[in-house]
Amino acid sequence: MENRRELQFESPSFFKRIKGMLGVDFYRLFHTPLLYIFLAIAAFIPALVSMGATGDGETAGMFTNAWQIIAAKTPLYVINDIGDYANMNMVFIFGGIMISIFIGHDYKSGYVKQLFTTHAKKQDYMISKTLLGAFSMVGMCITYLIGGVLSAAFTGLPFAINVGSLISAILGKMIMSLGWASLYTFINVIFRSKFGISIALCFVLGTGIPVIGAAAVVGNTPILNVFLYGSSVFACLSSNGLAILICLLCSVAWAMIYNILGTFILNKRDVY
């Protein structure tokens, strides 16, 4: 009898805790307009991007192929033309802003205080928000893809492409959502009470300015693929299965690093 009573008071397992926290987070996500607004923004971005495109295949336009709205032709870090970056990578910028708003509301509403009063595992919070952010950005990649196809069809751009490379590029960028979400969650844990700073950092890092700056100094080297932005650029229209593997390894590695650091900060600082 005593053993049974002890079991009843044991803390929930890791998976039960994560399942419970994810359930609450996803319920909030689907029952607020935030997700749907950013999904719509992601779908509308290609229409804005394609305004500079041309349907006659001439170089006067920003693109000569429909799929350049989705990914760059080659893994170019130093941008020579706006078209080199005007693709699905922009989803990561808006994904960071969405995560900032979501986590900022956690602190502003007092949800975090209530959560950590009854749910002491700070690591669970980091993991839940990372997975929530990754899910949201994957959804934004999908709506961006739909918007990109419709925009390209409207402008008359040709759709000829190596299907394998296209799939590798799309999957690679979706996989990178995990790494980006962990970075943005980490940033917002640090600057939880400074909403403006977290938004600005998410924007700057999402544009890849630090990596572009490094590329301008050291050149367009494959070593830059170890960074989130570098791996995101590596998923391009000339990529293959190797690109997916690199994106997966980088995304998981950075997710682990940022979650460990974020958990450490939450354990050491007053989160209220």
Side-chain angles (χ1 to χ4, degrees), residues 35-59:
L35 173 64
Y36 307 104
I37 290 173
F38 278 90
L39 289 176
I41 290 174
F44 187 66
I45 292 173
L48 297 178
V49 172
S50 64
M51 287 180 181
T54 179
D56 56 12
E58 298 295 330
T59 57

Side-chain angles (χ1 to χ4, degrees), residues 7-8 51 56 77 80 84-85 91 136 178 200:
L7 289 174
Q8 290 178 353
M51 287 180 181
D56 56 12
Y77 305 106
N80 295 323
D84 292 331
Y85 188 75
V91 164
S136 300
L178 177 65

Side-chain angles (χ1 to χ4, degrees), residues 30-264:
F30 288 126
H31 286 80
T32 59
L34 185 64
L35 173 64
Y36 307 104
I37 290 173
F38 278 90
L39 289 176
I41 290 174
F44 187 66
I45 292 173
L48 297 178
V49 172
S50 64
M51 287 180 181
T54 179
D56 56 12
E58 298 295 330
T59 57
M62 187 182 297
F63 306 122
T64 57
N65 185 279
W67 301 113
Q68 288 174 262
I69 297 176
I70 306 301
K73 292 184 290 186
T74 57
L76 184 66
Y77 305 106
V78 183
I79 298 177
N80 295 323
D81 191 297
I82 187 62
D84 292 331
Y85 188 75
N87 54 54
M88 193 179 284
N89 281 359
M90 290 187 290
V91 164
F92 301 129
I93 300 174
F94 291 95
I97 296 174
M98 196 203 84
I99 292 175
S100 294
I101 296 174
F102 197 86
I103 294 180
H105 183 265
D106 281 356
Y107 284 93
K108 184 178 180 180
S109 65
Y111 171 73
V112 169
K113 182 176 182 180
Q114 178 185 6
L115 176 66
F116 289 132
T117 300
T118 58
H119 191 107
K121 300 293 184 180
K122 309 298 191 302
Q123 181 185 32
D124 297 351
Y125 181 83
M126 288 293 302
I127 293 175
S128 181
K129 289 298 182 290
T130 296
L131 294 177
L132 185 83
F135 173 85
S136 300
M137 279 190 275
V138 168
M140 292 171 68
C141 286
I142 293 173
T143 58
Y144 182 98
L145 176 61
I146 295 172
V149 171
L150 294 176
S151 297
F154 180 78
T155 55
L157 288 169
F159 282 88
I161 193 66
N162 182 302
V163 177
S165 295
L166 176 63
I167 293 175
S168 296
I170 295 172
L171 289 179
K173 292 184 184 299
M174 288 183 176
I175 290 171
M176 290 308 303
S177 296
L178 177 65
W180 282 108
S182 64
L183 168 62
Y184 294 140
T185 301
F186 173 69
I187 290 174
N188 282 276
V189 164
I190 297 177
F191 299 102
R192 61 197 184 281
S193 60
K194 298 178 177 63
F195 181 72
I197 295 178
S198 64
I199 289 287
L201 277 175
C202 288
F203 178 82
V204 171
L205 294 173
T207 58
I209 290 176
V211 176
I212 293 173
V217 176
V218 302
N220 186 22
T221 170
I223 194 64
L224 293 173
N225 287 324
V226 302
F227 297 99
L228 289 174
Y229 178 78
S231 297
S232 300
V233 171
F234 191 63
C236 61
L237 297 180
S238 61
S239 60
N240 50 33
L242 178 62
I244 297 178
L245 179 60
I246 291 176
C247 289
L248 178 63
L249 293 176
C250 289
S251 192
V252 171
W254 284 106
M256 293 176 63
I257 291 171
Y258 287 128
N259 272 274
I260 291 173
L261 293 176
T263 300
F264 176 79

